[in-house]
Amino acid sequence: MSLRLTLLGTGTPTPSLERGGCSFLVEHNDDLMLFDCGPAAVQRLLARGIALTKISHIFLTHLHYDHCMDYGYLALTRWDQGAGQIPDLKVYGPDGTERMTRLLFSEEGVFQADLAGRTLHPGSHLIYEHRGGKLPRQRPAPEVQEVGPGAEIRGEGWQVHVAAMVHCQPYLKSVAYRFNSQEGSIVVTGDTAPNTQLADLARDANVILHMCHFLNEVETDPRITTSCSGHLDAARTAAAAGVEKLVLIHLTEQIARPGIRERMLAEAAEVFTGTIVLGEDLMEIPLGDIRPEPIL
Ligand SMILES: [Zn+2]
């Protein structure tokens, strides 16, 4: 049994070569799960050496594009390369996830011309058969389940719990996820202002991946502080929940500047005494103890 956690994208809606939109890979035995699927998630998976056909589940925290832009890309590429030989992708997300999926892949959807060509044209049939496919070719059909607070999804040796978050209601709903297994527990906050449900969801977890969109003493306008979290918000939630490791993600270029990031981490460490990690794209987060070691 094994569990690995890799940060694929740690950025925001602001385009960046260093930080893609939010996306996190959890590998539990043969189940490869994406938590969010923001811009560049597919490229980061390739960089990490993951075959896209191996992705089995996607959990979307909310439908802001910096968290779901690569959903269509991943689902189409996985379907195309899978050539009818792999199970349909399982997708979980808040209200609107079914509609998004229908509007991507149905006959009324934005990819209708592509899908008609790939499922009906003889040249596409040839490639499909070379990949091991058997005609007639089916369209991509992700299995979507919309989830809300209290939902529980069960897999082989793992469960995912869902809690409601506070972000851009009533315009879009947001949830956080907690992945539980014998090998470890991981919480993905998505985008949220501080709230008590999050500390409850994250109680004693091994790792929390927490939005850190601003410095608390710099951004004080309630329009942002009531919909997003800063570094001290993340540290307070991590302390209240008693987690082992706090990984700061959803980072802006301003926050990640030399000098600023060190100050931010020092201030957060005054609130949360566990391990704090400043997330980077393609960083693997150890799930066990992180201890200083002597020079080899
Ligand atoms: Zn976001």
Side-chain angles (χ1 to χ4, degrees):
M1 304 291 270
S2 69
L3 177 64
R4 290 179 74 177
L5 169 62
T6 307
L7 312 180
L8 297 174
T10 58
T12 70
T14 304
S16 162
L17 289 173
E18 283 77 37
R19 296 183 187 277
C22 278
S23 189
F24 314 103
L25 173 66
V26 173
E27 298 169 78
H28 185 265
N29 300 327
D30 292 335
D31 289 331
L32 270 61
M33 296 165 246
L34 288 186
F35 287 79
D36 280 338
C37 193
V42 166
Q43 293 301 315
R44 296 292 193 261
L45 283 169
L46 295 175
R48 172 68 169 64
I50 301 288
L52 303 178
T53 50
K54 299 285 186 195
I55 301 298
S56 52
H57 301 70
I58 296 182
F59 297 86
L60 298 173
T61 61
H62 64 299
L63 300 183
H64 267 147
Y65 73 79
D66 55 314
H67 297 254
C68 64
M69 179 62 92
D70 267 17
Y71 167 37
Y73 185 13
L74 176 71
L76 286 168
T77 311
R78 180 185 180 282
W79 164 81
D80 197 28
Q81 298 294 319
Q85 309 294 301
I86 57 173
D88 288 320
L89 188 62
K90 293 183 171 61
V91 181
Y92 306 87
D95 294 358
T97 306
E98 278 180 4
R99 177 176 179 275
M100 175 178 277
T101 302
R102 190 173 67 249
L103 293 179
L104 284 168
F105 307 126
S106 72
E107 289 187 4
E108 293 73 43
V110 297
F111 288 106
Q112 168 56 14
D114 178 284
L115 293 174
R118 285 182 207 281
T119 55
L120 300 174
H121 190 274
S124 297
H125 287 172
L126 175 72
I127 296 168
Y128 175 68
E129 287 182 329
H130 280 172
R131 289 178 180 153
K134 303 264 187 299
L135 293 172
R137 189 175 195 189
Q138 306 300 315
R139 300 168 69 96
E143 291 175 17
V144 178
Q145 184 183 334
E146 294 189 341
V147 293
E152 185 181 316
I153 302 125
R154 290 186 166 272
E156 231 168 272
W158 57 263
Q159 313 88 41
V160 169
H161 299 269
V162 184
M165 292 296 106
V166 179
H167 189 39
C168 279
Q169 287 89 335
Y171 307 105
L172 90 178
K173 290 190 176 168
S174 297
V175 297
Y177 294 105
R178 176 179 180 135
F179 172 91
N180 277 341
S181 72
Q182 268 194 337
E183 297 77 20
S185 49
I186 299 161
V187 175
V188 181
T189 66
D191 292 359
T192 186
N195 67 81
T196 54
Q197 305 91 275
L198 184 53
D200 290 341
L201 182 75
R203 186 80 51 213
D204 300 326
N206 295 109
V207 181
I208 184 169
L209 309 183
H210 201 304
M211 178 193 215
C212 177
H213 198 51
F214 55 84
L215 298 173
N216 282 92
E217 69 272 24
V218 175
E219 297 287 353
T220 54
D221 189 319
R223 287 175 295 183
I224 195 81
T225 59
T226 57
S227 61
C228 294
S229 288
H231 68 310
L232 297 180
D233 298 321
R236 288 185 196 112
T237 296
V243 302
E244 285 176 14
K245 300 183 191 78
L246 165 63
V247 181
L248 300 174
I249 46 95
H250 209 282
L251 299 161
T252 59
E253 276 184 30
Q254 295 94 312
I255 276 182
R257 277 161 47 208
I260 302 297
R261 60 190 176 210
E262 287 81 2
R263 174 180 145 183
M264 174 176 75
L265 292 172
E267 290 176 356
E270 287 178 17
V271 177
F272 173 63
T273 55
T275 301
I276 304 177
V277 176
L278 188 69
E280 291 178 11
D281 288 19
L282 292 175
M283 176 185 277
E284 181 168 352
I285 305 297
L287 288 160
D289 283 348
I290 303 177
R291 293 179 189 194
E293 291 178 358
I295 299 167
L296 293 174

